[in-house]
Amino acid sequence: MPGKMRQMFAGDQSANLSDAQLAAVESAAARGFRIDVFEAPALTALAANLDATTVKKSLAFLGTGLGRRMVEADIALANLDEAAIDKVTRGELAAPSTPEREALFVKLERAARSTDSAVQIYLSIARALAIGTAIGGGMDPIAADDRARSSADAAAREDLAQRMREPLRRYMAYGYRELSNADLRGLLAFLESRAGERYVNAYMAAMSAGFDAMGRRCGEQIGESWRELAQARRAAPARSTPAETSPP
């Protein structure tokens, strides 16, 4: 994430950020995008969006052989490094497939709401970064929030979803490459059940809350670092100006 954040800020040509400012972004991302920042708000949101019946049925599914294989695949996928993830999403690294299997992944992506979740996470991070950076820099966070909201209208969300959908299907297909077609149909049956739908919605809420917290923490760190850099630049000329002396 630190490298991705630096690339994102460096890509904003209108900002014309210095190397020191970009280094501050990378450092802030390392401090903000941490599991201890993510975990508490994510678990709180997960609990708030689950009911007893959904928990019971979800745990029953996760305790099956298929459920355990799904979790193992999810963990392995989460542990891929950024270079491998980029290759997977571009289609350069892929598992063998068939038309039947591709059709199953289209249905799974829709049932798991993978694209909806990714779009929501992306927009949550962008909004949290804007607010956090404003707070850290001593600016108006409400104005920053308004600007972030205006850039996340329905058209922008749909455009983002269209660009994310196919890479996310590739990502899911690669992650579940060891699952059989029967496994995929069993997973789809759970996700399309009432308990599965509630589980997916709770998962989305948890991811959004966790990434929002990390994005805001990162933004605050960026704002504080940029403010310190600006103060140092303003102080530098004063320190370098020689003291006035009276003529002999």
Side-chain angles (χ1 to χ4, degrees), residues 39-51 55 198-207 209:
E39 194 171 48
L43 290 177
T44 299
L46 183 68
N49 286 274
L50 289 174
D51 56 40
V55 170
R198 289 292 300 270
Y199 176 84
V200 168
N201 289 338
Y203 172 85
M204 287 182 63
M207 293 298 101

Side-chain angles (χ1 to χ4, degrees), residues 14 22 28 132 154-155 171 185 203 209 233 235:
S14 63
L22 291 174
Y171 186 70
R185 286 190 288 270
Y203 172 85
R233 284 197 301 269

Side-chain angles (χ1 to χ4, degrees), residues 1-245:
M1 184 58 78
K4 293 287 187 184
M5 290 297 300
R6 181 176 182 130
Q7 290 173 15
M8 185 178 76
F9 276 84
D12 184 0
Q13 299 299 320
S14 63
N16 194 27
L17 299 176
S18 67
D19 288 341
Q21 287 173 312
L22 291 174
V25 168
E26 194 166 359
S27 176
R31 295 194 300 271
F33 285 88
R34 294 162 47 102
I35 188 63
D36 57 315
V37 179
F38 173 90
E39 194 171 48
L43 290 177
T44 299
L46 183 68
N49 286 274
L50 289 174
D51 56 40
T53 300
T54 301
V55 170
K56 181 178 179 180
K57 291 184 177 181
S58 297
L59 288 175
F61 169 75
L62 293 172
T64 64
L66 171 56
R68 289 193 294 271
R69 289 194 296 276
M70 182 199 76
V71 171
E72 289 171 358
D74 286 341
I75 292 172
L77 198 55
N79 285 328
L80 287 178
D81 59 36
E82 287 189 10
I85 291 172
D86 287 341
K87 288 182 180 180
V88 169
T89 56
R90 289 196 300 263
E92 297 170 6
L93 182 61
S97 189
T98 64
E100 178 188 4
R101 196 166 176 85
E102 289 175 5
L104 282 168
F105 279 115
V106 169
K107 294 178 181 178
L108 278 170
E109 185 276 325
R110 188 181 302 120
R113 299 183 63 189
S114 299
T115 301
D116 291 343
S117 179
V119 168
Q120 185 59 43
I121 288 170
Y122 182 91
L123 295 176
S124 291
I125 291 174
R127 181 185 173 205
L129 275 171
I131 295 171
T133 305
I135 292 171
M139 297 177 286
D140 181 6
I142 297 177
D145 189 22
D146 289 342
R147 288 193 298 271
R149 286 180 182 275
S150 66
S151 65
D153 60 17
R157 294 177 73 95
E158 180 57 28
D159 177 66
L160 189 58
Q162 289 296 332
R163 287 188 281 119
M164 286 184 164
R165 185 165 285 113
E166 189 58 33
L168 285 170
R169 283 179 189 157
R170 294 177 187 141
Y171 186 70
M172 179 182 287
Y174 183 80
Y176 290 166
R177 63 192 181 280
E178 300 297 332
L179 299 186
S180 68
N181 286 4
D183 286 338
L184 297 180
R185 286 190 288 270
L187 177 54
L188 183 61
F190 168 70
L191 293 175
E192 290 181 337
S193 69
R194 186 169 182 177
E197 289 178 358
R198 289 292 300 270
Y199 176 84
V200 168
N201 289 338
Y203 172 85
M204 287 182 63
M207 293 298 101
S208 183
F211 277 96
D212 181 82
M214 292 192 298
R216 186 170 297 221
R217 173 72 63 83
C218 178
E220 291 171 355
Q221 296 283 343
I222 290 171
E224 290 173 6
S225 296
W226 285 358
R227 183 169 55 182
E228 290 170 0
L229 287 170
Q231 290 170 344
R233 284 197 301 269
R234 288 194 295 268
R239 289 195 300 268
S240 61
T241 301
E244 291 185 6
T245 57

